PDB file of all heavy atoms in Angstrom:
ATOM      1  N   GLU A   1      -2.623 -16.341   3.045  1.00  0.00           N
ATOM      2  CA  GLU A   1      -1.628 -15.290   3.400  1.00  0.00           C
ATOM      3  C   GLU A   1      -1.268 -14.560   2.258  1.00  0.00           C
ATOM      4  O   GLU A   1      -0.966 -14.986   1.170  1.00  0.00           O
ATOM      5  CB  GLU A   1      -0.306 -16.023   3.985  1.00  0.00           C
ATOM      6  CG  GLU A   1       0.763 -15.210   4.333  1.00  0.00           C
ATOM      7  CD  GLU A   1       1.941 -15.975   4.836  1.00  0.00           C
ATOM      8  OE1 GLU A   1       1.771 -16.904   5.592  1.00  0.00           O
ATOM      9  OE2 GLU A   1       3.119 -15.555   4.434  1.00  0.00           O
ATOM     10  N   VAL A   2      -1.246 -13.131   2.482  1.00  0.00           N
ATOM     11  CA  VAL A   2      -1.106 -12.150   1.294  1.00  0.00           C
ATOM     12  C   VAL A   2       0.107 -11.362   1.667  1.00  0.00           C
ATOM     13  O   VAL A   2       0.225 -10.791   2.835  1.00  0.00           O
ATOM     14  CB  VAL A   2      -2.374 -11.382   1.084  1.00  0.00           C
ATOM     15  CG1 VAL A   2      -2.149 -10.442  -0.036  1.00  0.00           C
ATOM     16  CG2 VAL A   2      -3.670 -12.228   0.910  1.00  0.00           C
ATOM     17  N   CYS A   3       0.860 -11.095   0.632  1.00  0.00           N
ATOM     18  CA  CYS A   3       1.983 -10.125   0.652  1.00  0.00           C
ATOM     19  C   CYS A   3       1.823  -9.136  -0.560  1.00  0.00           C
ATOM     20  O   CYS A   3       1.598  -9.598  -1.658  1.00  0.00           O
ATOM     21  CB  CYS A   3       3.295 -10.701   0.512  1.00  0.00           C
ATOM     22  SG  CYS A   3       3.650 -11.871   1.846  1.00  0.00           S
ATOM     23  N   THR A   4       1.718  -7.798  -0.330  1.00  0.00           N
ATOM     24  CA  THR A   4       1.497  -6.844  -1.314  1.00  0.00           C
ATOM     25  C   THR A   4       2.568  -5.828  -1.269  1.00  0.00           C
ATOM     26  O   THR A   4       2.709  -5.172  -0.200  1.00  0.00           O
ATOM     27  CB  THR A   4       0.137  -6.249  -1.246  1.00  0.00           C
ATOM     28  OG1 THR A   4      -0.994  -7.273  -1.489  1.00  0.00           O
ATOM     29  CG2 THR A   4      -0.055  -5.120  -2.314  1.00  0.00           C
ATOM     30  N   HIS A   5       3.297  -5.571  -2.381  1.00  0.00           N
ATOM     31  CA  HIS A   5       4.315  -4.500  -2.533  1.00  0.00           C
ATOM     32  C   HIS A   5       4.059  -3.541  -3.567  1.00  0.00           C
ATOM     33  O   HIS A   5       3.502  -3.937  -4.542  1.00  0.00           O
ATOM     34  CB  HIS A   5       5.684  -5.315  -2.631  1.00  0.00           C
ATOM     35  CG  HIS A   5       6.143  -6.128  -1.551  1.00  0.00           C
ATOM     36  ND1 HIS A   5       6.800  -7.262  -1.780  1.00  0.00           N
ATOM     37  CD2 HIS A   5       5.949  -5.967  -0.215  1.00  0.00           C
ATOM     38  CE1 HIS A   5       7.049  -7.869  -0.490  1.00  0.00           C
ATOM     39  NE2 HIS A   5       6.550  -6.993   0.373  1.00  0.00           N
ATOM     40  N   LEU A   6       4.504  -2.329  -3.253  1.00  0.00           N
ATOM     41  CA  LEU A   6       4.234  -1.268  -4.188  1.00  0.00           C
ATOM     42  C   LEU A   6       5.652  -0.611  -4.558  1.00  0.00           C
ATOM     43  O   LEU A   6       6.484  -0.598  -3.811  1.00  0.00           O
ATOM     44  CB  LEU A   6       3.276  -0.108  -3.644  1.00  0.00           C
ATOM     45  CG  LEU A   6       1.938  -0.642  -2.978  1.00  0.00           C
ATOM     46  CD1 LEU A   6       1.300   0.594  -2.360  1.00  0.00           C
ATOM     47  CD2 LEU A   6       1.062  -1.343  -3.990  1.00  0.00           C
ATOM     48  N   ARG A   7       5.657  -0.019  -5.783  1.00  0.00           N
ATOM     49  CA  ARG A   7       6.752   0.896  -6.171  1.00  0.00           C
ATOM     50  C   ARG A   7       5.986   2.220  -6.595  1.00  0.00           C
ATOM     51  O   ARG A   7       5.118   2.159  -7.426  1.00  0.00           O
ATOM     52  CB  ARG A   7       7.656   0.337  -7.163  1.00  0.00           C
ATOM     53  CG  ARG A   7       8.757   1.251  -7.555  1.00  0.00           C
ATOM     54  CD  ARG A   7       9.891   0.542  -8.349  1.00  0.00           C
ATOM     55  NE  ARG A   7       9.327   0.350  -9.802  1.00  0.00           N
ATOM     56  CZ  ARG A   7       9.114  -0.830 -10.283  1.00  0.00           C
ATOM     57  NH1 ARG A   7       9.543  -1.885  -9.642  1.00  0.00           N
ATOM     58  NH2 ARG A   7       8.886  -0.976 -11.572  1.00  0.00           N
ATOM     59  N   LEU A   8       6.374   3.341  -6.028  1.00  0.00           N
ATOM     60  CA  LEU A   8       5.791   4.625  -6.300  1.00  0.00           C
ATOM     61  C   LEU A   8       6.472   5.260  -7.474  1.00  0.00           C
ATOM     62  O   LEU A   8       7.543   4.913  -7.876  1.00  0.00           O
ATOM     63  CB  LEU A   8       5.768   5.542  -5.127  1.00  0.00           C
ATOM     64  CG  LEU A   8       5.108   4.894  -3.831  1.00  0.00           C
ATOM     65  CD1 LEU A   8       5.014   5.967  -2.734  1.00  0.00           C
ATOM     66  CD2 LEU A   8       3.675   4.409  -4.115  1.00  0.00           C
ATOM     67  N   THR A   9       5.799   6.324  -8.008  1.00  0.00           N
ATOM     68  CA  THR A   9       6.350   7.047  -9.140  1.00  0.00           C
ATOM     69  C   THR A   9       7.471   7.893  -8.770  1.00  0.00           C
ATOM     70  O   THR A   9       8.166   8.458  -9.732  1.00  0.00           O
ATOM     71  CB  THR A   9       5.263   7.843  -9.923  1.00  0.00           C
ATOM     72  OG1 THR A   9       4.662   8.714  -8.853  1.00  0.00           O
ATOM     73  CG2 THR A   9       4.178   7.031 -10.418  1.00  0.00           C
ATOM     74  N   SER A  10       7.684   8.255  -7.505  1.00  0.00           N
ATOM     75  CA  SER A  10       8.875   8.960  -7.033  1.00  0.00           C
ATOM     76  C   SER A  10       9.586   8.347  -5.901  1.00  0.00           C
ATOM     77  O   SER A  10       9.055   7.358  -5.346  1.00  0.00           O
ATOM     78  CB  SER A  10       8.448  10.384  -6.652  1.00  0.00           C
ATOM     79  OG  SER A  10       7.677  10.419  -5.366  1.00  0.00           O
ATOM     80  N   ALA A  11      10.607   8.848  -5.466  1.00  0.00           N
ATOM     81  CA  ALA A  11      11.540   8.260  -4.390  1.00  0.00           C
ATOM     82  C   ALA A  11      11.550   9.230  -3.245  1.00  0.00           C
ATOM     83  O   ALA A  11      12.531   9.272  -2.503  1.00  0.00           O
ATOM     84  CB  ALA A  11      12.698   7.733  -4.797  1.00  0.00           C
ATOM     85  N   HIS A  12      10.548  10.303  -3.214  1.00  0.00           N
ATOM     86  CA  HIS A  12      10.877  11.380  -2.272  1.00  0.00           C
ATOM     87  C   HIS A  12      10.872  10.790  -0.777  1.00  0.00           C
ATOM     88  O   HIS A  12      11.635  11.428  -0.001  1.00  0.00           O
ATOM     89  CB  HIS A  12       9.678  12.268  -2.295  1.00  0.00           C
ATOM     90  CG  HIS A  12       9.540  12.906  -3.569  1.00  0.00           C
ATOM     91  ND1 HIS A  12      10.616  13.609  -4.303  1.00  0.00           N
ATOM     92  CD2 HIS A  12       8.350  13.314  -4.476  1.00  0.00           C
ATOM     93  CE1 HIS A  12      10.184  14.248  -5.363  1.00  0.00           C
ATOM     94  NE2 HIS A  12       9.018  13.969  -5.536  1.00  0.00           N
ATOM     95  N   GLU A  13      10.207   9.772  -0.491  1.00  0.00           N
ATOM     96  CA  GLU A  13      10.179   9.224   0.867  1.00  0.00           C
ATOM     97  C   GLU A  13      11.654   8.719   1.263  1.00  0.00           C
ATOM     98  O   GLU A  13      11.957   8.737   2.406  1.00  0.00           O
ATOM     99  CB  GLU A  13       9.116   8.150   1.051  1.00  0.00           C
ATOM    100  CG  GLU A  13       9.323   6.856   0.241  1.00  0.00           C
ATOM    101  CD  GLU A  13       8.860   6.871  -1.139  1.00  0.00           C
ATOM    102  OE1 GLU A  13       8.706   8.007  -1.719  1.00  0.00           O
ATOM    103  OE2 GLU A  13       8.646   5.849  -1.767  1.00  0.00           O
ATOM    104  N   TYR A  14      12.286   8.191   0.297  1.00  0.00           N
ATOM    105  CA  TYR A  14      13.634   7.648   0.497  1.00  0.00           C
ATOM    106  C   TYR A  14      14.677   8.777   0.580  1.00  0.00           C
ATOM    107  O   TYR A  14      15.568   8.818   1.344  1.00  0.00           O
ATOM    108  CB  TYR A  14      14.020   6.695  -0.514  1.00  0.00           C
ATOM    109  CG  TYR A  14      13.377   5.237  -0.457  1.00  0.00           C
ATOM    110  CD1 TYR A  14      12.188   5.034  -1.178  1.00  0.00           C
ATOM    111  CD2 TYR A  14      13.729   4.287   0.441  1.00  0.00           C
ATOM    112  CE1 TYR A  14      11.556   3.804  -1.040  1.00  0.00           C
ATOM    113  CE2 TYR A  14      13.073   3.117   0.654  1.00  0.00           C
ATOM    114  CZ  TYR A  14      11.956   2.823  -0.152  1.00  0.00           C
ATOM    115  OH  TYR A  14      11.303   1.661  -0.114  1.00  0.00           O
ATOM    116  N   LEU A  15      14.630   9.655  -0.364  1.00  0.00           N
ATOM    117  CA  LEU A  15      15.583  10.791  -0.687  1.00  0.00           C
ATOM    118  C   LEU A  15      15.386  11.885   0.235  1.00  0.00           C
ATOM    119  O   LEU A  15      16.437  12.548   0.664  1.00  0.00           O
ATOM    120  CB  LEU A  15      15.673  11.111  -2.107  1.00  0.00           C
ATOM    121  CG  LEU A  15      15.880  10.022  -3.055  1.00  0.00           C
ATOM    122  CD1 LEU A  15      15.842  10.569  -4.477  1.00  0.00           C
ATOM    123  CD2 LEU A  15      17.273   9.353  -2.937  1.00  0.00           C
ATOM    124  N   GLU A  16      14.213  12.289   0.637  1.00  0.00           N
ATOM    125  CA  GLU A  16      13.971  13.512   1.282  1.00  0.00           C
ATOM    126  C   GLU A  16      13.206  13.353   2.655  1.00  0.00           C
ATOM    127  O   GLU A  16      12.912  14.377   3.282  1.00  0.00           O
ATOM    128  CB  GLU A  16      13.191  14.503   0.391  1.00  0.00           C
ATOM    129  CG  GLU A  16      13.775  14.760  -1.024  1.00  0.00           C
ATOM    130  CD  GLU A  16      13.021  15.345  -1.985  1.00  0.00           C
ATOM    131  OE1 GLU A  16      11.845  15.812  -1.608  1.00  0.00           O
ATOM    132  OE2 GLU A  16      13.340  15.454  -3.253  1.00  0.00           O
ATOM    133  N   GLY A  17      12.611  12.157   2.819  1.00  0.00           N
ATOM    134  CA  GLY A  17      11.882  11.906   3.975  1.00  0.00           C
ATOM    135  C   GLY A  17      10.510  12.550   3.862  1.00  0.00           C
ATOM    136  O   GLY A  17       9.709  12.746   4.808  1.00  0.00           O
ATOM    137  N   ASN A  18       9.958  12.742   2.579  1.00  0.00           N
ATOM    138  CA  ASN A  18       8.778  13.284   2.305  1.00  0.00           C
ATOM    139  C   ASN A  18       7.823  12.240   2.093  1.00  0.00           C
ATOM    140  O   ASN A  18       7.857  11.422   1.086  1.00  0.00           O
ATOM    141  CB  ASN A  18       8.792  14.186   0.984  1.00  0.00           C
ATOM    142  CG  ASN A  18       7.483  14.812   0.645  1.00  0.00           C
ATOM    143  OD1 ASN A  18       6.518  14.486   1.156  1.00  0.00           O
ATOM    144  ND2 ASN A  18       7.573  15.702  -0.116  1.00  0.00           N
ATOM    145  N   ASN A  19       6.854  11.931   2.971  1.00  0.00           N
ATOM    146  CA  ASN A  19       5.961  10.828   2.954  1.00  0.00           C
ATOM    147  C   ASN A  19       4.565  11.144   2.282  1.00  0.00           C
ATOM    148  O   ASN A  19       3.624  10.238   2.434  1.00  0.00           O
ATOM    149  CB  ASN A  19       5.719  10.372   4.380  1.00  0.00           C
ATOM    150  CG  ASN A  19       6.924   9.792   4.987  1.00  0.00           C
ATOM    151  OD1 ASN A  19       7.859   9.274   4.339  1.00  0.00           O
ATOM    152  ND2 ASN A  19       7.046   9.998   6.428  1.00  0.00           N
ATOM    153  N   SER A  20       4.484  12.186   1.622  1.00  0.00           N
ATOM    154  CA  SER A  20       3.120  12.669   1.094  1.00  0.00           C
ATOM    155  C   SER A  20       2.468  11.733   0.068  1.00  0.00           C
ATOM    156  O   SER A  20       1.343  11.704  -0.107  1.00  0.00           O
ATOM    157  CB  SER A  20       3.292  14.115   0.438  1.00  0.00           C
ATOM    158  OG  SER A  20       4.279  14.002  -0.551  1.00  0.00           O
ATOM    159  N   PHE A  21       3.405  10.824  -0.605  1.00  0.00           N
ATOM    160  CA  PHE A  21       2.831   9.897  -1.547  1.00  0.00           C
ATOM    161  C   PHE A  21       2.721   8.481  -1.034  1.00  0.00           C
ATOM    162  O   PHE A  21       2.205   7.610  -1.580  1.00  0.00           O
ATOM    163  CB  PHE A  21       3.761   9.787  -2.726  1.00  0.00           C
ATOM    164  CG  PHE A  21       3.468  10.905  -3.786  1.00  0.00           C
ATOM    165  CD1 PHE A  21       2.725  11.923  -3.521  1.00  0.00           C
ATOM    166  CD2 PHE A  21       4.127  10.812  -4.961  1.00  0.00           C
ATOM    167  CE1 PHE A  21       2.506  12.956  -4.452  1.00  0.00           C
ATOM    168  CE2 PHE A  21       3.858  11.810  -6.080  1.00  0.00           C
ATOM    169  CZ  PHE A  21       3.053  12.859  -5.700  1.00  0.00           C
ATOM    170  N   VAL A  22       3.241   8.301   0.214  1.00  0.00           N
ATOM    171  CA  VAL A  22       3.336   7.008   0.879  1.00  0.00           C
ATOM    172  C   VAL A  22       1.949   6.521   1.360  1.00  0.00           C
ATOM    173  O   VAL A  22       1.384   7.181   2.183  1.00  0.00           O
ATOM    174  CB  VAL A  22       4.359   6.932   1.986  1.00  0.00           C
ATOM    175  CG1 VAL A  22       4.408   5.543   2.682  1.00  0.00           C
ATOM    176  CG2 VAL A  22       5.780   7.289   1.440  1.00  0.00           C
ATOM    177  N   ILE A  23       1.563   5.371   0.778  1.00  0.00           N
ATOM    178  CA  ILE A  23       0.388   4.763   1.305  1.00  0.00           C
ATOM    179  C   ILE A  23       0.798   3.811   2.611  1.00  0.00           C
ATOM    180  O   ILE A  23       1.612   2.850   2.293  1.00  0.00           O
ATOM    181  CB  ILE A  23      -0.265   3.752   0.154  1.00  0.00           C
ATOM    182  CG1 ILE A  23      -0.634   4.752  -1.065  1.00  0.00           C
ATOM    183  CG2 ILE A  23      -1.567   3.136   0.747  1.00  0.00           C
ATOM    184  CD1 ILE A  23      -0.763   3.879  -2.319  1.00  0.00           C
ATOM    185  N   PRO A  24       0.369   4.059   3.685  1.00  0.00           N
ATOM    186  CA  PRO A  24       0.796   3.285   4.862  1.00  0.00           C
ATOM    187  C   PRO A  24       0.461   1.863   4.637  1.00  0.00           C
ATOM    188  O   PRO A  24      -0.578   1.475   4.064  1.00  0.00           O
ATOM    189  CB  PRO A  24      -0.042   3.896   5.987  1.00  0.00           C
ATOM    190  CG  PRO A  24      -0.394   5.237   5.581  1.00  0.00           C
ATOM    191  CD  PRO A  24      -0.677   5.140   4.099  1.00  0.00           C
ATOM    192  N   THR A  25       1.534   0.983   5.262  1.00  0.00           N
ATOM    193  CA  THR A  25       1.286  -0.440   5.064  1.00  0.00           C
ATOM    194  C   THR A  25       0.058  -0.848   5.810  1.00  0.00           C
ATOM    195  O   THR A  25      -0.565  -1.946   5.507  1.00  0.00           O
ATOM    196  CB  THR A  25       2.516  -1.165   5.556  1.00  0.00           C
ATOM    197  OG1 THR A  25       2.704  -0.868   6.994  1.00  0.00           O
ATOM    198  CG2 THR A  25       3.666  -0.722   4.872  1.00  0.00           C
ATOM    199  N   ASP A  26      -0.333  -0.123   6.987  1.00  0.00           N
ATOM    200  CA  ASP A  26      -1.672  -0.533   7.623  1.00  0.00           C
ATOM    201  C   ASP A  26      -2.813  -0.301   6.645  1.00  0.00           C
ATOM    202  O   ASP A  26      -3.783  -1.163   6.619  1.00  0.00           O
ATOM    203  CB  ASP A  26      -1.897   0.325   8.761  1.00  0.00           C
ATOM    204  CG  ASP A  26      -3.048  -0.120   9.661  1.00  0.00           C
ATOM    205  OD1 ASP A  26      -3.012  -1.165  10.206  1.00  0.00           O
ATOM    206  OD2 ASP A  26      -4.013   0.619   9.796  1.00  0.00           O
ATOM    207  N   THR A  27      -2.774   0.675   5.765  1.00  0.00           N
ATOM    208  CA  THR A  27      -3.874   0.918   4.766  1.00  0.00           C
ATOM    209  C   THR A  27      -3.735  -0.217   3.710  1.00  0.00           C
ATOM    210  O   THR A  27      -4.796  -0.675   3.352  1.00  0.00           O
ATOM    211  CB  THR A  27      -3.620   2.320   4.106  1.00  0.00           C
ATOM    212  OG1 THR A  27      -3.544   3.324   5.017  1.00  0.00           O
ATOM    213  CG2 THR A  27      -4.647   2.595   3.015  1.00  0.00           C
ATOM    214  N   ILE A  28      -2.661  -0.655   3.347  1.00  0.00           N
ATOM    215  CA  ILE A  28      -2.532  -1.787   2.376  1.00  0.00           C
ATOM    216  C   ILE A  28      -3.174  -2.967   2.970  1.00  0.00           C
ATOM    217  O   ILE A  28      -3.939  -3.618   2.270  1.00  0.00           O
ATOM    218  CB  ILE A  28      -0.988  -2.098   2.054  1.00  0.00           C
ATOM    219  CG1 ILE A  28      -0.409  -0.854   1.289  1.00  0.00           C
ATOM    220  CG2 ILE A  28      -0.869  -3.291   1.237  1.00  0.00           C
ATOM    221  CD1 ILE A  28       1.094  -1.078   1.087  1.00  0.00           C
ATOM    222  N   LYS A  29      -2.947  -3.264   4.159  1.00  0.00           N
ATOM    223  CA  LYS A  29      -3.566  -4.444   4.828  1.00  0.00           C
ATOM    224  C   LYS A  29      -5.159  -4.355   4.852  1.00  0.00           C
ATOM    225  O   LYS A  29      -5.762  -5.233   4.582  1.00  0.00           O
ATOM    226  CB  LYS A  29      -3.078  -4.559   6.362  1.00  0.00           C
ATOM    227  CG  LYS A  29      -3.676  -5.646   7.151  1.00  0.00           C
ATOM    228  CD  LYS A  29      -3.479  -5.448   8.613  1.00  0.00           C
ATOM    229  CE  LYS A  29      -4.442  -4.218   9.093  1.00  0.00           C
ATOM    230  NZ  LYS A  29      -4.441  -4.045  10.595  1.00  0.00           N
ATOM    231  N   ASN A  30      -5.634  -3.102   5.397  1.00  0.00           N
ATOM    232  CA  ASN A  30      -7.025  -2.888   5.365  1.00  0.00           C
ATOM    233  C   ASN A  30      -7.702  -3.016   3.978  1.00  0.00           C
ATOM    234  O   ASN A  30      -8.715  -3.593   3.898  1.00  0.00           O
ATOM    235  CB  ASN A  30      -7.351  -1.539   5.983  1.00  0.00           C
ATOM    236  CG  ASN A  30      -6.964  -1.440   7.451  1.00  0.00           C
ATOM    237  OD1 ASN A  30      -6.969  -2.511   8.147  1.00  0.00           O
ATOM    238  ND2 ASN A  30      -6.741  -0.273   8.014  1.00  0.00           N
ATOM    239  N   ILE A  31      -6.984  -2.526   2.866  1.00  0.00           N
ATOM    240  CA  ILE A  31      -7.547  -2.763   1.565  1.00  0.00           C
ATOM    241  C   ILE A  31      -7.775  -4.167   1.179  1.00  0.00           C
ATOM    242  O   ILE A  31      -8.776  -4.585   0.648  1.00  0.00           O
ATOM    243  CB  ILE A  31      -6.588  -1.982   0.627  1.00  0.00           C
ATOM    244  CG1 ILE A  31      -6.850  -0.444   0.736  1.00  0.00           C
ATOM    245  CG2 ILE A  31      -6.844  -2.370  -0.886  1.00  0.00           C
ATOM    246  CD1 ILE A  31      -5.786   0.358  -0.076  1.00  0.00           C
ATOM    247  N   VAL A  32      -6.705  -4.945   1.590  1.00  0.00           N
ATOM    248  CA  VAL A  32      -6.766  -6.426   1.218  1.00  0.00           C
ATOM    249  C   VAL A  32      -8.046  -7.120   1.980  1.00  0.00           C
ATOM    250  O   VAL A  32      -8.697  -7.779   1.477  1.00  0.00           O
ATOM    251  CB  VAL A  32      -5.435  -7.171   1.702  1.00  0.00           C
ATOM    252  CG1 VAL A  32      -5.652  -8.623   1.662  1.00  0.00           C
ATOM    253  CG2 VAL A  32      -4.313  -6.690   0.757  1.00  0.00           C
ATOM    254  N   LEU A  33      -8.093  -6.725   3.233  1.00  0.00           N
ATOM    255  CA  LEU A  33      -9.224  -7.320   4.008  1.00  0.00           C
ATOM    256  C   LEU A  33     -10.628  -6.769   3.487  1.00  0.00           C
ATOM    257  O   LEU A  33     -11.563  -7.594   3.375  1.00  0.00           O
ATOM    258  CB  LEU A  33      -9.055  -6.946   5.499  1.00  0.00           C
ATOM    259  CG  LEU A  33      -7.936  -7.398   6.194  1.00  0.00           C
ATOM    260  CD1 LEU A  33      -7.794  -6.881   7.677  1.00  0.00           C
ATOM    261  CD2 LEU A  33      -7.857  -8.946   6.197  1.00  0.00           C
ATOM    262  N   VAL A  34     -10.721  -5.484   3.097  1.00  0.00           N
ATOM    263  CA  VAL A  34     -11.937  -5.015   2.571  1.00  0.00           C
ATOM    264  C   VAL A  34     -12.350  -5.723   1.204  1.00  0.00           C
ATOM    265  O   VAL A  34     -13.496  -6.068   1.009  1.00  0.00           O
ATOM    266  CB  VAL A  34     -11.855  -3.578   2.457  1.00  0.00           C
ATOM    267  CG1 VAL A  34     -13.086  -2.950   1.549  1.00  0.00           C
ATOM    268  CG2 VAL A  34     -11.819  -2.711   3.690  1.00  0.00           C
ATOM    269  N   LEU A  35     -11.277  -5.908   0.432  1.00  0.00           N
ATOM    270  CA  LEU A  35     -11.604  -6.682  -0.885  1.00  0.00           C
ATOM    271  C   LEU A  35     -12.030  -7.947  -0.617  1.00  0.00           C
ATOM    272  O   LEU A  35     -12.855  -8.553  -1.351  1.00  0.00           O
ATOM    273  CB  LEU A  35     -10.301  -6.625  -1.783  1.00  0.00           C
ATOM    274  CG  LEU A  35      -9.907  -5.123  -2.358  1.00  0.00           C
ATOM    275  CD1 LEU A  35      -8.541  -5.293  -3.141  1.00  0.00           C
ATOM    276  CD2 LEU A  35     -11.021  -4.641  -3.345  1.00  0.00           C
ATOM    277  N   ALA A  36     -11.428  -8.720   0.299  1.00  0.00           N
ATOM    278  CA  ALA A  36     -11.867 -10.018   0.593  1.00  0.00           C
ATOM    279  C   ALA A  36     -13.412 -10.102   1.133  1.00  0.00           C
ATOM    280  O   ALA A  36     -14.014 -10.898   0.743  1.00  0.00           O
ATOM    281  CB  ALA A  36     -11.011 -10.555   1.850  1.00  0.00           C
ATOM    282  N   LYS A  37     -13.698  -9.066   1.950  1.00  0.00           N
ATOM    283  CA  LYS A  37     -15.042  -8.981   2.366  1.00  0.00           C
ATOM    284  C   LYS A  37     -16.039  -8.698   1.246  1.00  0.00           C
ATOM    285  O   LYS A  37     -17.043  -9.235   1.011  1.00  0.00           O
ATOM    286  CB  LYS A  37     -15.157  -7.885   3.426  1.00  0.00           C
ATOM    287  CG  LYS A  37     -16.490  -7.309   3.713  1.00  0.00           C
ATOM    288  CD  LYS A  37     -17.481  -8.320   4.325  1.00  0.00           C
ATOM    289  CE  LYS A  37     -18.827  -7.864   4.636  1.00  0.00           C
ATOM    290  NZ  LYS A  37     -19.762  -8.753   5.071  1.00  0.00           N
ATOM    291  N   LYS A  38     -15.677  -7.711   0.383  1.00  0.00           N
ATOM    292  CA  LYS A  38     -16.604  -7.314  -0.835  1.00  0.00           C
ATOM    293  C   LYS A  38     -16.761  -8.285  -1.935  1.00  0.00           C
ATOM    294  O   LYS A  38     -17.735  -8.535  -2.406  1.00  0.00           O
ATOM    295  CB  LYS A  38     -16.136  -5.926  -1.306  1.00  0.00           C
ATOM    296  CG  LYS A  38     -16.423  -4.696  -0.358  1.00  0.00           C
ATOM    297  CD  LYS A  38     -15.980  -3.436  -0.948  1.00  0.00           C
ATOM    298  CE  LYS A  38     -16.429  -2.228  -0.003  1.00  0.00           C
ATOM    299  NZ  LYS A  38     -16.073  -1.025  -0.604  1.00  0.00           N
ATOM    300  N   ASN A  39     -15.415  -8.842  -2.293  1.00  0.00           N
ATOM    301  CA  ASN A  39     -15.423  -9.639  -3.581  1.00  0.00           C
ATOM    302  C   ASN A  39     -15.420 -11.082  -3.255  1.00  0.00           C
ATOM    303  O   ASN A  39     -15.636 -11.835  -4.078  1.00  0.00           O
ATOM    304  CB  ASN A  39     -14.166  -9.245  -4.345  1.00  0.00           C
ATOM    305  CG  ASN A  39     -14.226  -7.708  -4.721  1.00  0.00           C
ATOM    306  OD1 ASN A  39     -15.236  -7.086  -4.734  1.00  0.00           O
ATOM    307  ND2 ASN A  39     -13.131  -7.303  -5.206  1.00  0.00           N
ATOM    308  N   GLY A  40     -15.012 -11.447  -2.004  1.00  0.00           N
ATOM    309  CA  GLY A  40     -14.804 -12.828  -1.759  1.00  0.00           C
ATOM    310  C   GLY A  40     -13.451 -13.288  -2.327  1.00  0.00           C
ATOM    311  O   GLY A  40     -12.697 -12.492  -2.769  1.00  0.00           O
ATOM    312  N   ILE A  41     -13.150 -14.518  -2.388  1.00  0.00           N
ATOM    313  CA  ILE A  41     -11.943 -15.147  -2.928  1.00  0.00           C
ATOM    314  C   ILE A  41     -12.454 -16.294  -3.915  1.00  0.00           C
ATOM    315  O   ILE A  41     -12.317 -17.514  -3.619  1.00  0.00           O
ATOM    316  CB  ILE A  41     -11.036 -15.583  -1.908  1.00  0.00           C
ATOM    317  CG1 ILE A  41     -10.722 -14.575  -0.909  1.00  0.00           C
ATOM    318  CG2 ILE A  41      -9.671 -16.090  -2.623  1.00  0.00           C
ATOM    319  CD1 ILE A  41      -9.727 -15.010   0.198  1.00  0.00           C
ATOM    320  N   PRO A  42     -12.894 -15.879  -5.103  1.00  0.00           N
ATOM    321  CA  PRO A  42     -13.397 -16.957  -6.086  1.00  0.00           C
ATOM    322  C   PRO A  42     -12.354 -17.903  -6.416  1.00  0.00           C
ATOM    323  O   PRO A  42     -12.413 -19.154  -6.517  1.00  0.00           O
ATOM    324  CB  PRO A  42     -13.798 -16.130  -7.296  1.00  0.00           C
ATOM    325  CG  PRO A  42     -13.248 -14.788  -7.189  1.00  0.00           C
ATOM    326  CD  PRO A  42     -13.029 -14.520  -5.684  1.00  0.00           C
TER     327      PRO A  42
END
């Protein structure tokens, strides 16, 4: 079971509703799965 959290260099998404820097959490999930596929879990 994996939990991954990020903090970005700006807070535009919180202060202005500007999501241009936001990596969707669905993308985060897919990255974790792809890394498991490519690298395994040594």
Side-chain angles (χ1 to χ4, degrees):
E1 176 181 321
V2 180
C3 303
T4 295
H5 293 146
L6 310 175
R7 185 169 69 241
L8 304 184
T9 54
S10 74
H12 296 315
E13 67 277 20
Y14 287 98
L15 301 177
E16 304 164 12
N18 181 344
N19 296 326
S20 58
F21 278 9
V22 176
I23 304 162
T25 59
D26 186 66
T27 302
I28 294 174
K29 177 201 70 175
N30 290 337
I31 287 171
V32 170
L33 297 176
V34 168
L35 289 174
K37 163 63 178 173
K38 289 184 175 180
N39 300 345
I41 307 177

